[in-house]
Amino acid sequence: MKALYWEGDGFVLLYKKLENGCFQWSQNSQDVKLITPREFSRLLEGLSLNQPKAVKKVYLQKAL
């Protein structure tokens, strides 16, 4: 996988190749989408983006 990241004054080229397995990304060009930094991290770790129960969001309530 190759990715460009803009740092404000120039681009950083990121390159990653999995030794075992493959990246869990759709081969359909219709499935192009924006991903969050957390999803990008999961993708670089070789994990699937389609695991809604893998990471549970926690919402905190303010004390009165």
Side-chain angles (χ1 to χ4, degrees):
M1 169 184 284
K2 293 179 185 175
L4 287 175
Y5 175 76
W6 177 255
E7 283 196 328
D9 62 347
F11 285 101
V12 175
L13 175 63
L14 305 168
Y15 179 81
K16 174 129 183 190
K17 179 180 177 185
L18 297 178
E19 290 191 25
N20 296 317
C22 61
F23 292 105
Q24 303 294 314
W25 192 259
S26 175
Q27 297 298 320
N28 184 351
S29 62
Q30 301 296 326
D31 290 341
V32 173
K33 65 177 184 172
L34 292 174
I35 59 174
T36 65
R38 176 176 253 170
E39 289 173 322
F40 183 68
S41 176
R42 291 177 53 79
L43 183 65
L44 290 180
E45 292 174 15
L47 302 172
S48 173
L49 298 180
N50 300 323
Q51 293 181 359
K53 294 182 181 180
V55 178
K56 182 179 180 182
K57 290 185 180 181
V58 175
Y59 298 98
L60 301 175
Q61 295 180 353
K62 287 187 177 182
L64 297 176

